[in-house]
């Protein structure tokens, strides 16, 4: 027995549809075959009548004989070996019969009035009143010139035909039963081929719901079920990946927080223990202040990220001259670049590079890009900051000659918390924040890189149009929070 569910529904629907279709065909077939058999008998008799009755009437004339002789004559001319022939008068009284049995009662079947009314041939199928045998009666009118109307009525048994029809019905019903059995087997197979993968997918997803993301939908399912299975597997892989990223993030952020905190703690304890050497105090205070700044920077990055995630970032939009902004950034990072002997070169093709944006946020964008460029540059290499106008846009590209990123990792560097190498510090949030800020400015951020050769990050921002064309920012202009 098939369990309740989609499988049973499939089998049931399939079975009902085929059953109804077969029944319809069966009924039409049986009607047709019955009509064919009966028509064959009827045609045989009526053709016989057509061929002989008229000539019989012409060749015999009531005037030449007595009525009994005349009727005997006609009976002899018309009779058929397999059928009883009765000659009746207009009222249905049997005048003479080839079987020799003449009933006293007039024949009252429908063929009599029909034949009389049409003046032609009519048939009746039913059971013989006396014997109960199934018969077909074919009656035709024999019009006499003298006005006397006779009816020739052939009564033939259709018992054998009916038996044959019953046999045919039984055989066809048996064929239907076999077909339905095959349909049942096929539909159960079909239902199983759908239900089994679904059950498997349900079992796997139930395990995943309990937190087991190592299980996968196995089996090479086809069509939508295959897609469903691979989507579920993909979902599990993504969950595992994002869990991994989250774990990496927690470990890197803890590390990032711990280093400055250890340093702050160490120096504050040293200063607290006395001694008060003014130089040492200055160095200690300097380190405490630097590390605190680093912590603030880290926390701010996290806050920015969470604001962007919740769509709460507010931009103060206006005209921003990118060339000036980049000069400012070069000054900001100069000391850091100096440490690695990295040279920063600013190239600008044209005069004005004004864009429509939030100056502070754009500074954050380019600071992060340039900071990464320095961080991952080889010692004594050159970083080129290139500005160019492209119709309606200003493109800024930052090209470094550093470690580069391989193709696989390049696809993921803009993902939040992703770092190619977690040992290098940072949170892996910089590029995710940068990307979202650029998008808030309706700009585009692209990265190309070659492992061991270097990376180019380019940012396309909408050119600032003078006059009333100043647009409303998507995130509504307003103060930062
Ligand atoms: P963070 O710098 O805080 O780790 P980012 O989101 O800014 O986070 O960068 C993500 C990762 O992308 C970095 O950890 C680094 O592996 C890689 N990356 C970014 N910029 C460069 C670059 N210019 N050269 C090589 N790798 C880079």
């Amino acid at each position: 027995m098939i369990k309740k569910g989609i499988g049973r529904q499939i089998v049931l629907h399939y079975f009902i549809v085929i059953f109804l279709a077969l029944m319809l065909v069966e009924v039409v077939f049986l009607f047709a075959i019955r009509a064919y058999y009966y028509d064959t008998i009827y045609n045989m008799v009526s053709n016989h009548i057509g061929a002989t009755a008229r000539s019989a009437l012409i060749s015999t004339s009531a005037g030449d004989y007595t009525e009994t002789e005349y009727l005997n004559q006609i009976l002899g001319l018309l009779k058929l070996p397999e059928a009883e022939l009765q000659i009746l008068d207009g009222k249905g009284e049997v005048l003479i019969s080839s079987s020799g049995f003449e009933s006293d009662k007039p024949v009252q079947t429908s063929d009599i009035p029909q034949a009389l009314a049409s003046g032609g041939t009519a048939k009746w199928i039913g059971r013989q009143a006396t014997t109960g045998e199934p018969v077909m009666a074919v009656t035709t009118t024999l019009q006499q010139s003298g006005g006397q109307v006779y009816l020739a009525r052939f009564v033939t048994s259709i018992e054998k035909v009916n038996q044959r029809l019953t046999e045919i019905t039984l055989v066809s019903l048996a064929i239907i039963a076999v077909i339905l059995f095959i349909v049942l087997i096929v539909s159960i197979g079909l239902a199983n081929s759908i239900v089994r993968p679904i059950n498997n997918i349900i079992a796997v997803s139930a395990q995943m719901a309990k937190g087991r993301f190592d299980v996968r939908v196995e089996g090479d399912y086809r069509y939508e079920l295959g897609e469903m299975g691979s989507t579920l597997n993909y979902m599990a892989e993504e969950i595992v990946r994002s869990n991994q990223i989250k774990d990496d993030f927690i470990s890197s952020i803890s590390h990032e927080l711990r280093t400055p905190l250890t340093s702050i703690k160490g120096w504050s304890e040293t200063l607290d223990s006395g001694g008060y050497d003014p130089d040492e105090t200055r160095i200690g205070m300097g380190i405490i202040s630097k590390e605190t700044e680093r912590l603030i920077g880290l926390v701010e990055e996290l806050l920015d990220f969470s604001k962007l995630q919740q769509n709460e970032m507010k931009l103060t939009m206006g005209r921003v001259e990118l060339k000036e902004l980049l000069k400012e950034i070069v000054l900001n990072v100069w000391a850091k670049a100096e440490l690695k002997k990295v040279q920063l070169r600013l190239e600008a093709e044209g005069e004005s590079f004004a864009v429509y944006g939030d100056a502070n946020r754009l500074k954050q964008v380019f600071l992060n890009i340039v900071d990464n460029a320095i961080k991952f540059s080889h010692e004594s290499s050159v970083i080129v900051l290139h500005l160019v106008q492209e119709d309606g846009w200003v493109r800024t590209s930052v090209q470094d000659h550093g470690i580069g990123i391989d193709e696989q990792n390049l696809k993921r560097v803009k993902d939040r918390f992703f770092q190619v190498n977690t040992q290098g510090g940072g949170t892996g949030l910089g590029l995710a924040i940068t990307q979202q800020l650029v998008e808030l400015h309706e700009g585009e951020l692209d990265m190309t890189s070659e492992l061991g050769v270097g990376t180019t990050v380019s940012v396309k921002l909408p050119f600032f149009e003078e006059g009333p064309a100043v647009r409303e920012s998507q995130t509504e202009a307003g103060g930062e929070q």
Side-chain angles (χ1 to χ4, degrees), residues 301 368-369 371-377 398 400 402-405 409 412-422 424-434 447 449 454-457:
E301 200 169 57
N368 181 52
I369 296 170
D371 191 60
N372 275 344
I374 297 171
K375 204 156 66 174
F376 300 106
S377 270
V398 178
D400 66 55
I403 60 169
I405 310 163
N409 286 322
R412 298 172 56 190
V413 282
K414 286 186 258 173
D415 288 358
R416 52 204 177 145
F417 308 130
F418 181 80
Q419 293 178 295
V420 177
N421 184 353
T422 45
T427 56
L429 277 176
L431 281 177
I433 293 175
T434 303
M447 270 179 99
S449 189
T455 306
T456 304
V457 183

Side-chain angles (χ1 to χ4, degrees), residues 137-256:
V138 181
T139 304
T140 191
T141 47
L142 304 169
Q143 199 78 42
Q144 262 295 318
S145 52
Q148 179 67 32
V149 173
Y150 293 110
L151 295 163
R153 186 169 185 258
F154 293 88
V155 182
T156 179
S157 167
I158 52 169
E159 189 145 30
K160 278 193 183 150
V161 169
N162 280 358
Q163 254 175 25
R164 186 92 191 96
L165 286 177
T166 313
E167 278 165 27
I168 291 172
T169 310
L170 289 176
V171 169
S172 58
L173 283 176
I175 293 172
I176 286 180
V178 170
I179 294 176
L180 282 178
F181 182 70
I182 294 169
V183 165
L184 192 71
I185 303 284
V186 170
S187 61
I188 289 176
L190 179 80
N192 278 344
S193 75
I194 295 170
V195 171
R196 229 177 276 136
I198 290 181
N199 282 342
N200 185 14
I201 290 170
I202 290 172
V204 170
S205 52
Q207 296 221 47
M208 284 178 181
K210 285 183 191 148
R212 282 205 52 198
F213 295 109
D214 56 328
V215 287
R216 293 286 178 272
V217 177
E218 306 287 352
D220 189 15
Y221 303 137
R222 283 190 292 171
Y223 313 121
E224 282 86 348
L225 289 170
E227 256 173 58
M228 205 166 148
S230 49
T231 308
L232 201 67
N233 287 347
Y234 178 69
M235 186 195 81
E237 273 156 29
E238 281 299 296
I239 291 174
V240 169
R241 198 172 71 87
S242 64
N243 275 348
Q244 184 61 46
I245 288 176
K246 193 185 73 194
D247 293 346
D248 287 352
F249 168 71
I250 291 172
S251 95
S252 77
I253 202 85
S254 321
H255 185 260
E256 282 293 295

Side-chain angles (χ1 to χ4, degrees), residues 216-477:
R216 293 286 178 272
V217 177
E218 306 287 352
D220 189 15
Y221 303 137
R222 283 190 292 171
Y223 313 121
E224 282 86 348
L225 289 170
E227 256 173 58
M228 205 166 148
S230 49
T231 308
L232 201 67
N233 287 347
Y234 178 69
M235 186 195 81
E237 273 156 29
E238 281 299 296
I239 291 174
V240 169
R241 198 172 71 87
S242 64
N243 275 348
Q244 184 61 46
I245 288 176
K246 193 185 73 194
D247 293 346
D248 287 352
F249 168 71
I250 291 172
S251 95
S252 77
I253 202 85
S254 321
H255 185 260
E256 282 293 295
L257 290 171
R258 200 161 170 234
T259 318
L261 285 173
T262 314
S263 169
I264 290 167
K265 186 168 180 280
W267 273 106
S268 51
E269 277 172 5
T270 309
L271 294 178
D272 193 40
S273 64
Y276 301 111
D277 174 1
D279 284 343
E280 202 182 42
T281 308
R282 210 177 315 113
I283 293 170
M285 292 308 280
I287 289 175
I288 289 174
S289 155
K290 209 179 109 212
E291 293 300 331
T292 314
E293 225 167 77
R294 213 173 124 188
L295 280 177
I296 292 171
L298 196 66
V299 172
E300 265 173 7
E301 200 169 57
L302 287 170
L303 278 176
D304 279 350
F305 179 71
S306 114
K307 267 193 228 165
L308 281 165
Q309 284 305 96
Q310 290 161 32
N311 269 336
E312 278 178 6
M313 179 69 81
K314 300 235 188 314
L315 299 183
T316 313
M317 302 297 276
R319 185 183 195 277
V320 182
E321 179 53 65
L322 278 191
K323 196 173 170 184
E324 296 309 314
L325 189 99
L326 289 184
K327 276 184 188 166
E328 214 178 297
I329 284 170
V330 169
L331 286 177
N332 282 183
V333 297
W334 183 81
K336 198 172 180 183
E338 241 334 87
L339 285 177
K340 283 181 91 173
K341 298 197 177 54
V342 169
Q343 193 193 331
L344 291 159
R345 198 186 300 153
L346 178 59
E347 294 173 356
E349 290 175 33
E351 279 309 306
S352 170
F353 299 95
V355 293
Y356 184 67
D358 179 323
N360 284 328
R361 291 303 175 188
L362 287 181
K363 188 170 176 185
Q364 188 181 349
V365 164
F366 290 110
L367 253 180
N368 181 52
I369 296 170
V370 176
D371 191 60
N372 275 344
I374 297 171
K375 204 156 66 174
F376 300 106
S377 270
H378 294 309
E379 291 236 346
S380 312
S381 62
V382 178
I383 295 173
V384 181
L385 284 73
H386 190 84
L387 271 168
V388 66
Q389 260 192 48
E390 291 169 358
D391 49 1
W393 301 93
V394 175
R395 180 189 289 279
T396 314
S397 45
V398 178
Q399 185 189 17
D400 66 55
H401 299 87
I403 60 169
I405 310 163
D406 66 28
E407 214 179 315
Q408 208 62 24
N409 286 322
L410 188 63
K411 286 185 204 147
R412 298 172 56 190
V413 282
K414 286 186 258 173
D415 288 358
R416 52 204 177 145
F417 308 130
F418 181 80
Q419 293 178 295
V420 177
N421 184 353
T422 45
Q423 309 302 311
T427 56
L429 277 176
L431 281 177
I433 293 175
T434 303
Q435 160 98 355
Q436 291 194 48
L437 283 177
V438 171
E439 277 171 10
L440 276 183
H441 282 83
E442 293 172 33
E444 284 168 26
L445 182 136
D446 286 313
M447 270 179 99
T448 53
S449 189
E450 203 178 322
L451 196 63
V453 177
T455 306
T456 304
V457 183
S458 75
V459 176
K460 228 168 93 169
L461 290 165
F463 189 66
F464 181 81
E465 312 265 355
E466 298 285 352
V470 175
R471 288 155 292 167
E472 277 300 310
S473 158
Q474 263 187 335
T475 51
E476 74 186 64

Side-chain angles (χ1 to χ4, degrees), residues 74-138:
I74 292 178
L75 198 71
L77 279 167
L78 285 183
K79 72 174 179 216
L80 270 170
E82 296 276 310
E84 178 195 354
L85 173 60
Q86 301 167 335
I87 306 292
L88 289 77
D89 64 10
K91 291 180 201 115
E93 296 281 1
V94 182
L95 301 174
I96 191 165
S97 164
S98 64
S99 67
F101 175 76
E102 284 111 43
S103 166
D104 304 340
K105 284 191 204 151
V107 180
Q108 285 180 325
T109 51
S110 62
D111 52 320
I112 309 288
Q114 273 174 22
L116 282 170
S118 67
T121 310
K123 81 168 175 231
W124 170 81
I125 294 164
R127 284 185 181 274
Q128 193 89 285
T130 46
T131 57
E133 190 187 6
V135 291
M136 180 191 284
V138 181

